[in-house]
């Protein structure tokens, strides 16, 4: 397991919001609470918790008050959910998949266990289909741009 502190970059889907974070370890977690499910449109959301002081916003983000106790960074142009932060307190969460390379992180716990949708937890063994082998998707990309996205 990699434990060296590392500077990692990330941002939203359209590239308007960018951040640089100093990451101390690989630990991350899945939040299943209903507010995160609603805010991200996902059955759960992978978060990396870290001190706010370790996050530098190079451009953006936008923020909205998601409850009386918390606010969430996002991109108003493309809608990407970028994290979660209590209004008071030193830490915050960044969405794992917003990092340019999310592969470092590993889930170490679940939060919001009262609203876990258990049928989505263990998906090992289900058919695994690649985007570059889905002909309808490939044909659309080739027609629109001449190539598949990186
Ligand atoms: Zn964006």
């Amino acid at each position: 397991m990699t434990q060296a502190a590392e500077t990692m970059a990330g941002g939203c889907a359209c590239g308007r919001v960018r951040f640089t974070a100093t990451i101390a370890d690989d630990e991350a977690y899945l939040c299943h609470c209903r507010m995160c499910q609603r805010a991200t449109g996902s059955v759960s959301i992978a978060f990396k918790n870290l001190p706010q002081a370790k996050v530098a916003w190079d451009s953006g983000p936008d923020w909205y008050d998601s409850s009386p106790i918390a606010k969430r960074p996002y991109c108003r142009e493309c809608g990407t959910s970028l994290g979660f932060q209590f209004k008071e307190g030193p830490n915050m969460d960044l969405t794992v998949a917003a990092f340019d390379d999310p592969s470092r992180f590993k889930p170490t716990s679940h939060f919001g266990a009262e609203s876990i949708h258990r049928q989505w937890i263990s998906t090992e063994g289900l058919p695994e289909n690649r985007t570059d082998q889905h002909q309808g998707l490939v044909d659309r990309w080739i027609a629109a741009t001449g190539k598949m996205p990186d």
Side-chain angles (χ1 to χ4, degrees):
M1 175 179 271
T2 305
Q3 291 294 346
E6 181 184 352
T7 299
M8 295 178 67
C12 68
C14 79
R16 194 182 70 80
V17 178
R18 295 293 298 168
F19 62 79
T20 306
T22 303
I23 302 299
D25 59 53
D26 299 341
E27 295 186 5
Y29 72 102
L30 283 172
C31 188
H32 305 266
C33 87
R34 279 300 288 152
M35 287 191 175
C36 281
Q37 290 175 354
R38 291 278 192 197
T40 63
S42 302
V43 292
S44 65
I45 185 72
F47 278 141
K48 173 58 183 166
N49 190 267
L50 73 172
Q52 293 170 32
K54 298 294 186 185
V55 180
W57 294 102
D58 306 311
S59 56
D62 304 289
W63 292 89
Y64 72 100
D65 281 359
S66 56
S67 78
I69 62 170
K71 59 183 183 177
R72 294 174 189 261
Y74 73 104
C75 174
R76 68 173 178 267
E77 297 298 326
C78 68
T80 299
S81 297
L82 293 162
F84 171 92
Q85 184 174 310
F86 287 118
K87 290 180 179 176
E88 307 292 338
N91 278 26
M92 70 174 302
D93 292 311
L94 289 171
T95 46
V96 164
F99 284 89
D100 294 339
D101 179 9
S103 64
R104 169 177 178 165
F105 299 105
K106 297 169 183 66
T108 58
S109 66
H110 297 280
F111 192 69
E114 69 282 356
S115 45
I116 287 179
H117 296 293
R118 298 221 169 257
Q119 66 273 32
W120 293 93
I121 298 292
S122 297
T123 60
E124 196 69 37
L126 295 180
E128 298 185 8
N129 306 303
R130 294 180 54 94
T131 52
D132 59 5
Q133 293 173 353
H134 186 285
Q135 201 58 50
L137 180 67
V138 171
D139 290 347
R140 284 174 173 87
W141 273 111
I142 298 301
T145 68
K147 63 182 181 68
M148 286 289 286
D150 295 327

